Amino acid sequence: SAVISQKPSRDICQRGTSLTIQCQVDSQVTMMFWYRQQPGQSLTLIATANQGSEATYESGFVIDKFPISRPNLTFSTLTVSNMSPEDSSIYLCSVERPAGYGYTFGSGTRLTVV
Amino acid sequence: QKEVEQDPGPLSVPEGAIVSLNCTYSNSAFQYFMWYRQYSRKGPELLMYTYSSGNKEDGRFTAQVDKSSKYISLFIRDSQPSDSATYLCAMKASGGSYIPTFGRGTSLIVHP
């Protein structure tokens, strides 16, 4: 299955600033997924990113707040913009495993906004 | 009612115990069922993947799906301190959306 390198692994940011999270996959994949994981909560899908098209955002998430880039089949970025303490969370990228047998996740970015 | 319910725990057991982790769900369209293990400060890793009802065994792990009851389980035999982690269930319907629905995760602590 694919291996995903995600960075940064953690960051502490000032409110009002932006942070860009990067995910690099060691193989070409059609779709990449971005999740948020808040303490004690299930994984919440932010958006699905296809190469060459606009990302598809889930209800409650908007492009202005979470712009996503997908310049090629192995790379994607998620930006958390104009951050507030409520954005403190773990952010994860994910790809579907070959033949659709589950999903592989990056190691996550632990974001704290102060 | 949430689509997937999972007790967050924590569940604390002694080393060597048999662990039973469970999820219930409400969407009868779910056909694919997954269990992920997530260590602290790591991303989830896939443990088990099953389709429809039945059992699947992999080493010390057994996944069980009862679609009639909308209930899935993960059993861990001879639990080890290294099994201490959060276990998330996930499930999705066939066709259509590729997106799985995750449970909240159950925190498991195996103490020596």
Coordinates of all heavy atoms in Angstrom, one line a residue, chain B residues 33-99:
Chain B
F33 N -16.5 -3.0 6.1 CA -16.3 -2.7 7.5 C -14.8 -2.8 7.8 O -14.1 -3.7 7.4 CB -17.0 -3.7 8.4 CG -18.5 -3.7 8.1 CD1 -19.1 -4.5 7.2 CD2 -19.4 -2.8 8.8 CE1 -20.4 -4.5 6.9 CE2 -20.7 -2.7 8.5 CZ -21.3 -3.6 7.6
M34 N -14.3 -1.8 8.5 CA -12.8 -1.7 8.8 C -12.6 -1.4 10.2 O -13.4 -0.8 10.9 CB -12.3 -0.5 7.9 CG -12.3 -0.7 6.4 SD -12.2 0.8 5.5 CE -14.0 1.3 5.5
W35 N -11.4 -1.8 10.7 CA -10.9 -1.5 12.0 C -9.5 -0.9 11.8 O -8.7 -1.4 11.1 CB -10.8 -2.7 12.9 CG -12.1 -3.1 13.4 CD1 -12.9 -4.1 12.9 CD2 -12.8 -2.6 14.6 NE1 -14.1 -4.2 13.7 CE2 -14.0 -3.3 14.7 CE3 -12.5 -1.6 15.5 CZ2 -14.9 -3.0 15.7 CZ3 -13.4 -1.3 16.5 CH2 -14.6 -2.0 16.6
Y36 N -9.3 0.3 12.5 CA -8.0 0.9 12.4 C -7.5 1.0 13.8 O -8.2 1.2 14.8 CB -8.2 2.4 11.9 CG -8.5 2.4 10.4 CD1 -9.8 2.3 9.9 CD2 -7.4 2.6 9.5 CE1 -10.0 2.3 8.5 CE2 -7.7 2.6 8.1 CZ -9.0 2.5 7.6 OH -9.2 2.5 6.3
R37 N -6.2 1.0 13.9 CA -5.5 1.2 15.2 C -4.7 2.5 15.0 O -4.0 2.8 14.1 CB -4.5 0.0 15.5 CG -3.7 0.2 16.7 CD -2.8 -1.1 16.9 NE -1.9 -1.3 15.8 CZ -1.3 -2.4 15.6 NH1 -1.5 -3.5 16.4 NH2 -0.4 -2.6 14.6
Q38 N -4.8 3.3 16.1 CA -4.1 4.6 16.1 C -3.3 4.8 17.4 O -3.9 4.9 18.4 CB -5.1 5.8 15.9 CG -4.4 7.1 15.7 CD -5.4 8.2 15.4 OE1 -6.6 8.1 15.7 NE2 -4.9 9.3 14.9
Y39 N -2.0 4.8 17.2 CA -1.1 5.1 18.4 C -1.1 6.6 18.5 O -1.3 7.4 17.6 CB 0.3 4.5 18.1 CG 0.3 3.0 18.1 CD1 0.7 2.3 17.0 CD2 0.1 2.3 19.3 CE1 0.8 0.9 17.0 CE2 0.2 0.9 19.4 CZ 0.5 0.2 18.2 OH 0.6 -1.1 18.3
S40 N -0.7 7.0 19.8 CA -0.6 8.4 20.1 C 0.3 9.1 19.1 O 1.4 8.6 18.8 CB -0.1 8.6 21.5 OG 0.0 9.9 21.8
R41 N -0.1 10.2 18.6 CA 0.7 11.0 17.7 C 1.1 10.3 16.4 O 2.1 10.7 15.7 CB 2.0 11.5 18.4 CG 1.8 12.5 19.5 CD 3.0 12.9 20.2 NE 2.8 14.0 21.1 CZ 2.2 13.9 22.3 NH1 1.7 12.8 22.7 NH2 2.0 15.0 23.0
K42 N 0.2 9.4 16.0 CA 0.3 8.7 14.7 C -1.0 8.8 14.0 O -2.0 9.0 14.6 CB 0.8 7.3 14.9 CG 2.1 7.1 15.6 CD 3.3 7.5 14.6 CE 4.6 7.2 15.3 NZ 5.7 7.7 14.4
G43 N -0.9 8.5 12.7 CA -2.2 8.4 11.9 C -2.8 7.0 12.1 O -2.1 6.0 12.5
P44 N -4.1 6.8 11.8 CA -4.7 5.5 11.9 C -4.0 4.5 10.9 O -3.7 4.9 9.7 CB -6.1 5.7 11.5 CG -6.3 7.2 11.7 CD -5.0 7.8 11.4
E45 N -3.9 3.2 11.3 CA -3.4 2.2 10.4 C -4.4 1.1 10.3 O -5.0 0.7 11.3 CB -2.1 1.6 10.8 CG -2.1 1.0 12.2 CD -0.8 0.4 12.6 OE1 -0.2 -0.3 11.7 OE2 -0.4 0.5 13.7
L46 N -4.7 0.6 9.1 CA -5.7 -0.4 8.8 C -5.3 -1.7 9.5 O -4.2 -2.2 9.2 CB -5.9 -0.6 7.3 CG -7.0 -1.6 7.0 CD1 -8.4 -1.0 7.3 CD2 -6.9 -1.8 5.5
L47 N -6.2 -2.3 10.3 CA -6.0 -3.6 10.9 C -6.7 -4.7 10.2 O -6.2 -5.7 9.9 CB -6.4 -3.6 12.4 CG -5.5 -3.1 13.4 CD1 -6.2 -3.2 14.8 CD2 -4.2 -4.0 13.5
M48 N -8.0 -4.4 10.0 CA -8.9 -5.5 9.4 C -9.8 -4.8 8.4 O -10.3 -3.7 8.6 CB -9.7 -6.2 10.5 CG -8.8 -6.8 11.6 SD -8.0 -8.3 10.9 CE -9.3 -9.5 11.0
Y49 N -10.2 -5.6 7.4 CA -11.1 -5.1 6.4 C -12.0 -6.3 6.0 O -11.5 -7.4 5.7 CB -10.4 -4.7 5.1 CG -11.2 -4.1 4.0 CD1 -11.4 -2.7 3.9 CD2 -11.8 -4.9 3.1 CE1 -12.2 -2.2 2.9 CE2 -12.6 -4.4 2.1 CZ -12.8 -3.1 2.0 OH -13.6 -2.5 1.0
T50 N -13.3 -6.1 6.2 CA -14.2 -7.2 5.9 C -15.4 -6.7 5.0 O -15.7 -5.5 5.0 CB -14.8 -7.8 7.1 OG1 -15.4 -6.8 7.9 CG2 -13.8 -8.5 8.0
Y51 N -15.9 -7.6 4.3 CA -17.1 -7.3 3.4 C -18.3 -8.1 3.9 O -18.1 -9.3 4.1 CB -16.8 -7.6 1.9 CG -17.9 -7.5 1.0 CD1 -18.5 -6.2 0.7 CD2 -18.6 -8.6 0.5 CE1 -19.6 -6.1 -0.1 CE2 -19.7 -8.5 -0.3 CZ -20.2 -7.2 -0.6 OH -21.3 -7.1 -1.4
S52 N -19.4 -7.4 4.1 CA -20.6 -8.0 4.5 C -20.5 -8.8 5.8 O -19.7 -8.4 6.6 CB -21.1 -9.0 3.3 OG -22.5 -9.3 3.5
S53 N -21.3 -9.8 6.0 CA -21.3 -10.4 7.3 C -20.2 -11.5 7.4 O -19.7 -12.0 6.4 CB -22.7 -11.0 7.6 OG -23.6 -10.1 7.9
G54 N -20.0 -11.9 8.7 CA -19.0 -13.0 8.9 C -17.9 -12.7 9.7 O -17.8 -11.6 10.3
N55 N -16.9 -13.6 9.8 CA -15.7 -13.4 10.6 C -14.5 -13.4 9.7 O -14.5 -14.0 8.6 CB -15.6 -14.6 11.6 CG -16.6 -14.6 12.7 OD1 -17.5 -13.7 12.7 ND2 -16.6 -15.6 13.5
K56 N -13.5 -12.7 10.2 CA -12.2 -12.7 9.5 C -11.1 -12.7 10.6 O -11.2 -11.9 11.5 CB -12.0 -11.5 8.6 CG -10.7 -11.5 7.8 CD -10.7 -10.3 6.9 CE -9.5 -10.3 6.0 NZ -9.5 -9.1 5.1
E57 N -10.1 -13.6 10.4 CA -9.1 -13.7 11.4 C -7.7 -13.4 10.8 O -7.4 -13.7 9.7 CB -9.1 -15.1 12.0 CG -8.1 -15.4 13.2 CD -8.3 -16.8 13.7 OE1 -9.4 -17.3 13.8 OE2 -7.3 -17.3 14.1
D58 N -6.9 -12.7 11.6 CA -5.6 -12.3 11.2 C -4.7 -12.3 12.4 O -4.7 -11.4 13.2 CB -5.5 -11.0 10.5 CG -4.1 -10.7 10.0 OD1 -3.2 -11.5 10.1 OD2 -4.0 -9.6 9.4
G59 N -4.0 -13.4 12.7 CA -3.2 -13.5 13.9 C -4.0 -13.5 15.1 O -4.9 -14.2 15.3
R60 N -3.7 -12.5 16.0 CA -4.4 -12.4 17.3 C -5.7 -11.6 17.1 O -6.5 -11.5 18.1 CB -3.5 -11.7 18.3 CG -2.3 -12.5 18.7 CD -1.5 -11.8 19.8 NE -0.9 -10.5 19.4 CZ -1.3 -9.3 19.9 NH1 -2.3 -9.3 20.8 NH2 -0.8 -8.2 19.5
F61 N -6.0 -11.1 15.9 CA -7.1 -10.3 15.7 C -8.2 -11.0 14.9 O -8.0 -11.7 14.0 CB -6.7 -9.0 14.9 CG -5.7 -8.2 15.6 CD1 -4.4 -8.4 15.4 CD2 -6.1 -7.2 16.5 CE1 -3.4 -7.6 16.1 CE2 -5.2 -6.4 17.1 CZ -3.9 -6.6 16.9
T62 N -9.5 -10.8 15.4 CA -10.6 -11.4 14.7 C -11.7 -10.3 14.6 O -12.1 -9.7 15.5 CB -11.3 -12.6 15.4 OG1 -10.3 -13.6 15.6 CG2 -12.5 -13.1 14.7
A63 N -12.1 -10.1 13.3 CA -13.2 -9.1 13.1 C -14.5 -9.9 12.8 O -14.5 -10.9 12.1 CB -12.8 -8.2 11.9
Q64 N -15.5 -9.4 13.4 CA -16.8 -10.1 13.3 C -17.9 -9.0 12.8 O -17.9 -7.9 13.4 CB -17.2 -10.7 14.6 CG -18.3 -11.7 14.6 CD -18.4 -12.3 16.0 OE1 -18.9 -11.8 16.9 NE2 -17.9 -13.5 16.1
V65 N -18.7 -9.4 11.9 CA -19.7 -8.5 11.4 C -21.1 -9.2 11.5 O -21.2 -10.3 11.0 CB -19.5 -8.1 9.9 CG1 -20.7 -7.2 9.4 CG2 -18.2 -7.3 9.8
D66 N -22.0 -8.6 12.1 CA -23.4 -9.1 12.2 C -24.3 -8.0 11.6 O -24.8 -7.1 12.3 CB -23.8 -9.4 13.7 CG -25.2 -10.0 13.8 OD1 -25.9 -10.0 12.8 OD2 -25.5 -10.5 14.9
K67 N -24.6 -8.2 10.3 CA -25.4 -7.2 9.7 C -26.8 -7.1 10.1 O -27.5 -6.1 10.1 CB -25.3 -7.3 8.2 CG -24.0 -7.0 7.6 CD -24.0 -7.0 6.0 CE -24.8 -5.8 5.6 NZ -25.0 -5.8 4.1
S68 N -27.3 -8.3 10.6 CA -28.7 -8.3 11.0 C -28.9 -7.5 12.3 O -30.0 -6.9 12.5 CB -29.2 -9.8 11.3 OG -28.4 -10.4 12.3
S69 N -27.9 -7.4 13.1 CA -27.9 -6.6 14.3 C -27.3 -5.3 14.1 O -27.3 -4.5 15.1 CB -27.3 -7.4 15.5 OG -27.9 -8.6 15.7
K70 N -26.7 -5.0 13.0 CA -25.9 -3.8 12.7 C -24.9 -3.6 13.8 O -24.8 -2.6 14.5 CB -26.8 -2.6 12.6 CG -27.8 -2.7 11.5 CD -28.6 -1.3 11.3 CE -29.5 -1.4 10.1 NZ -30.6 -2.3 10.3
Y71 N -24.0 -4.6 14.0 CA -23.1 -4.7 15.1 C -21.8 -5.3 14.6 O -21.8 -6.4 13.9 CB -23.7 -5.6 16.2 CG -23.0 -5.6 17.5 CD1 -23.3 -4.7 18.5 CD2 -22.1 -6.6 17.8 CE1 -22.7 -4.7 19.7 CE2 -21.4 -6.7 19.0 CZ -21.7 -5.7 20.0 OH -21.1 -5.8 21.2
I72 N -20.7 -4.6 14.8 CA -19.4 -5.2 14.5 C -18.5 -5.3 15.7 O -18.6 -4.4 16.6 CB -18.7 -4.5 13.3 CG1 -18.2 -3.1 13.7 CG2 -19.6 -4.4 12.1 CD1 -17.3 -2.4 12.7
S73 N -17.6 -6.2 15.6 CA -16.7 -6.4 16.8 C -15.3 -6.7 16.3 O -15.0 -7.2 15.2 CB -17.1 -7.6 17.6 OG -18.4 -7.4 18.1
L74 N -14.3 -6.3 17.2 CA -12.9 -6.7 17.0 C -12.4 -7.4 18.2 O -12.6 -6.8 19.3 CB -12.0 -5.5 16.7 CG -10.5 -5.7 16.5 CD1 -10.3 -6.5 15.2 CD2 -9.7 -4.5 16.6
F75 N -12.0 -8.6 18.1 CA -11.4 -9.3 19.2 C -9.9 -9.4 19.2 O -9.4 -9.6 18.1 CB -12.0 -10.7 19.3 CG -13.5 -10.8 19.4 CD1 -14.3 -10.9 18.3 CD2 -14.1 -10.7 20.7 CE1 -15.7 -11.0 18.5 CE2 -15.5 -10.7 20.8 CZ -16.3 -10.8 19.7
I76 N -9.3 -9.1 20.3 CA -7.8 -9.2 20.4 C -7.5 -10.3 21.4 O -7.9 -10.2 22.6 CB -7.2 -7.9 20.8 CG1 -7.6 -6.8 19.9 CG2 -5.6 -8.0 20.7 CD1 -7.1 -5.4 20.3
R77 N -6.9 -11.4 21.0 CA -6.5 -12.4 21.9 C -5.1 -12.2 22.4 O -4.3 -11.5 21.8 CB -6.5 -13.8 21.1 CG -7.8 -14.3 20.7 CD -7.7 -15.7 20.1 NE -6.9 -15.6 18.9 CZ -7.4 -15.2 17.7 NH1 -8.6 -14.8 17.6 NH2 -6.6 -15.2 16.7
D78 N -4.9 -12.7 23.6 CA -3.5 -12.6 24.3 C -3.0 -11.1 24.1 O -1.9 -10.9 23.6 CB -2.5 -13.5 23.6 CG -1.2 -13.6 24.3 OD1 -1.2 -13.3 25.5 OD2 -0.2 -13.9 23.6
S79 N -3.8 -10.2 24.6 CA -3.4 -8.8 24.5 C -2.1 -8.4 25.1 O -1.7 -9.0 26.1 CB -4.5 -7.9 25.1 OG -4.8 -8.2 26.4
Q80 N -1.4 -7.5 24.5 CA -0.1 -7.1 24.9 C -0.1 -5.6 25.2 O -0.9 -4.9 24.6 CB 0.9 -7.4 23.7 CG 1.0 -8.8 23.3 CD 1.5 -9.7 24.4 OE1 2.5 -9.5 25.0 NE2 0.8 -10.8 24.7
P81 N 0.9 -5.2 26.0 CA 1.0 -3.7 26.2 C 1.1 -2.9 24.9 O 0.7 -1.8 24.8 CB 2.2 -3.6 27.1 CG 2.2 -4.9 27.9 CD 1.7 -5.9 26.9
S82 N 1.8 -3.5 23.9 CA 1.9 -2.8 22.6 C 0.6 -2.7 21.9 O 0.5 -1.9 20.9 CB 2.9 -3.6 21.8 OG 2.5 -4.9 21.6
D83 N -0.5 -3.3 22.3 CA -1.8 -3.1 21.7 C -2.5 -1.9 22.3 O -3.5 -1.5 21.8 CB -2.7 -4.4 22.0 CG -2.2 -5.6 21.4 OD1 -1.6 -5.6 20.3 OD2 -2.4 -6.7 22.0
S84 N -1.9 -1.3 23.3 CA -2.5 0.0 23.8 C -2.5 1.0 22.8 O -1.5 1.5 22.3 CB -1.7 0.4 25.0 OG -1.7 -0.5 26.1
A85 N -3.7 1.5 22.4 CA -3.9 2.4 21.3 C -5.4 2.8 21.3 O -6.2 2.2 22.1 CB -3.5 1.8 20.0
T86 N -5.7 3.6 20.4 CA -7.1 3.9 20.1 C -7.6 3.1 18.9 O -6.8 3.1 17.9 CB -7.4 5.4 19.9 OG1 -7.1 6.1 21.0 CG2 -8.8 5.6 19.5
Y87 N -8.7 2.4 18.9 CA -9.2 1.6 17.9 C -10.4 2.2 17.3 O -11.4 2.5 18.0 CB -9.5 0.1 18.4 CG -8.2 -0.6 18.7 CD1 -7.6 -0.3 19.9 CD2 -7.6 -1.5 17.8 CE1 -6.4 -1.0 20.2 CE2 -6.4 -2.1 18.1 CZ -5.8 -1.9 19.3 OH -4.6 -2.5 19.6
L88 N -10.4 2.5 16.0 CA -11.5 3.1 15.3 C -12.2 2.1 14.4 O -11.5 1.5 13.6 CB -11.1 4.3 14.5 CG -10.4 5.5 15.2 CD1 -8.9 5.4 15.1 CD2 -10.9 6.8 14.7
C89 N -13.5 2.1 14.4 CA -14.2 1.3 13.4 C -14.6 2.3 12.3 O -14.7 3.5 12.5 CB -15.4 0.6 14.0 SG -16.7 1.7 14.6
A90 N -14.8 1.7 11.1 CA -15.2 2.5 10.0 C -16.0 1.6 9.0 O -15.8 0.4 9.0 CB -14.0 3.1 9.2
M91 N -16.9 2.2 8.3 CA -17.7 1.5 7.4 C -18.2 2.3 6.3 O -18.3 3.6 6.4 CB -18.9 0.9 8.2 CG -19.6 1.8 9.1 SD -20.5 0.8 10.4 CE -19.3 0.4 11.6
K92 N -18.5 1.7 5.2 CA -19.0 2.4 4.0 C -19.9 1.6 3.2 O -19.9 0.3 3.2 CB -17.9 3.0 3.2 CG -17.1 2.0 2.4 CD -16.1 2.7 1.5 CE -15.4 1.8 0.6 NZ -14.5 2.4 -0.4
A93 N -20.8 2.2 2.4 CA -21.7 1.6 1.5 C -21.0 1.2 0.2 O -19.9 1.8 -0.1 CB -22.9 2.4 1.3
S94 N -21.5 0.3 -0.5 CA -20.9 -0.1 -1.8 C -21.4 0.9 -2.8 O -22.5 1.5 -2.7 CB -21.3 -1.5 -2.2 OG -22.7 -1.6 -2.3
G95 N -20.6 1.1 -3.8 CA -20.9 2.1 -4.9 C -21.0 3.5 -4.4 O -20.7 3.8 -3.2
G96 N -21.4 4.4 -5.3 CA -21.6 5.8 -4.9 C -20.4 6.4 -4.2 O -19.3 6.4 -4.7
S97 N -20.6 7.0 -3.1 CA -19.5 7.7 -2.3 C -18.4 6.7 -1.9 O -18.6 5.6 -1.5 CB -20.1 8.3 -1.1 OG -19.1 8.8 -0.2
Y98 N -17.2 7.3 -2.0 CA -16.0 6.5 -1.6 C -15.7 6.8 -0.1 O -14.8 6.2 0.4 CB -14.8 7.0 -2.3 CG -14.8 6.7 -3.8 CD1 -15.4 7.5 -4.7 CD2 -14.3 5.5 -4.3 CE1 -15.4 7.2 -6.1 CE2 -14.3 5.2 -5.6 CZ -14.8 6.1 -6.5 OH -14.8 5.8 -7.8
I99 N -16.5 7.5 0.6 CA -16.2 8.1 1.9 C -16.7 7.1 3.0 O -17.8 6.9 3.1 CB -16.8 9.5 2.1 CG1 -16.5 10.4 0.9 CG2 -16.2 10.1 3.3 CD1 -15.0 10.4 0.5

